[in-house]
Amino acid sequence: SQKIEQNSEALNIQEGKTATLTCNYTNYSPAYLQWYRQDPGRGPVFLLLIRENEKEKRKERLKVTFDTTLKQSLFHITASQPADSATYLCALVAMDSSYKLIFGSGTRLLVRP
Amino acid sequence: EAGVTQFPSHSVIEKGQTVTLRCDPISGHDNLYWYRRVMGKEIKFLLHFVKESKQDESGMPNNRFLAERTGGTYSTLKVQPAELEDSGVYFCASSLGFSGANVLTFGAGSRLTVL
């Protein structure tokens, strides 16, 4: 079955640095991959979507890469701020009757002032 | 524009009781999804409605779970009878489109605690 792995350990970085989060997947070849942000007590909030034929996608301070050979996506936040502290979820889009999302367990990011 | 609304935000019930969770999607969104996160696990798909029809219910754990979307507007998810392993956070999401590039808007979730 499809498996998505995100670093379960929290990533702790200094404000102003670049945060890089990793998403690895196996037993699947997704055409789309999404990244969501989740704050405590809230639902996931969509950030970026990247297609299999796109190597990189940017939105303001966010950048996502998608390497279908390595089966890996990297999520970068440049010039990180304490407000970026949250859990970041990687999700593959299942190309089935529902286009359901298959989520990783998420990586918690802590940005120190 | 109002977001996805879920009710209740938290429900505590005893094993064997019944609970009904409600989701109001964004107005005009034909697609409504239910997901849940049990303790320590990732968020997992339960089912997908297109308007009032169940498009995919492959993620429903067993027949103690019943989802409805009468009239194609709000949806309810009933758990009857509840078991301890049903504890978790139940998320509802909605979308306008229905494709691989689908972007979901999630509600804040309904936390269910079964004692």
Side-chain angles (χ1 to χ4, degrees):
Chain A
S1 61
Q2 302 101 347
K3 188 173 181 182
I4 303 171
E5 291 186 348
Q6 293 186 256
N7 195 338
S8 58
E9 291 185 16
L11 179 62
N12 198 326
I13 64 169
Q14 184 72 43
E15 182 177 8
K17 300 293 185 181
T18 296
T20 298
L21 287 70
T22 304
C23 173
N24 294 298
Y25 58 91
T26 57
N27 297 330
Y28 201 63
S29 297
Y32 302 87
L33 186 147
Q34 301 184 10
W35 283 86
Y36 285 78
R37 168 182 173 143
Q38 187 174 21
D39 291 281
R42 302 288 187 96
V45 174
F46 171 77
L47 295 174
L48 282 168
L49 176 149
I50 188 165
R51 294 171 170 78
E52 62 178 342
N53 60 353
E54 296 176 316
K55 296 296 183 186
E56 183 179 295
K57 199 79 169 279
R58 292 175 184 263
K59 178 183 176 183
E60 297 172 351
R61 295 184 296 112
L62 309 181
K63 184 178 85 172
V64 171
T65 63
F66 193 9
D67 189 326
T68 55
T69 301
L70 290 179
K71 293 187 180 292
Q72 181 181 79
S73 176
L74 299 179
F75 178 80
H76 306 271
I77 305 176
T78 58
S80 61
Q81 304 165 1
D84 296 326
S85 298
T87 296
Y88 291 86
L89 303 166
C90 168
L92 305 183
V93 180
M95 302 305 287
D96 58 15
S97 63
S98 197
Y99 297 105
K100 62 175 72 70
L101 297 179
I102 303 168
F103 282 94
S105 54
T107 298
R108 189 174 173 206
L109 173 66
L110 299 171
V111 182
R112 303 188 309 274
Chain B
E1 167 181 88
V4 176
T5 305
Q6 293 189 245
F7 183 83
S9 57
H10 192 187
S11 180
V12 181
I13 62 173
E14 293 191 352
K15 175 182 172 180
Q17 290 186 320
T18 298
V19 64
T20 299
L21 310 177
R22 173 171 169 144
C23 169
D24 286 78
I26 292 173
S27 178
H29 280 195
D30 287 340
N31 296 277
L32 187 149
Y33 297 79
W34 283 98
Y35 287 79
R36 77 171 178 177
R37 185 173 202 159
V38 296
M39 185 67 72
K41 302 276 190 175
E42 63 276 10
I43 298 172
K44 286 195 172 179
F45 169 84
L46 294 178
L47 88 160
H48 170 209
F49 284 100
V50 178
K51 296 185 180 179
E52 67 276 8
S53 300
K54 291 176 184 174
Q55 176 73 15
D56 182 350
E57 52 183 331
S58 61
M60 295 288 264
N62 50 61
N63 59 11
R64 295 185 295 103
F65 289 75
L66 175 64
E68 295 181 322
R69 193 183 181 194
T70 307
T73 54
Y74 71 90
S75 174
T76 58
L77 180 63
K78 180 191 289 188
V79 185
Q80 179 183 32
E83 298 289 344
L84 299 178
E85 64 264 25
D86 301 332
S87 295
V89 183
Y90 290 75
F91 293 103
C92 176
S94 70
S95 68
L96 189 62
F98 175 31
S99 73
N102 220 18
V103 172
L104 301 187
T105 301
F106 282 83
S110 290
R111 179 176 295 277
L112 173 64
T113 302
V114 182
L115 302 176

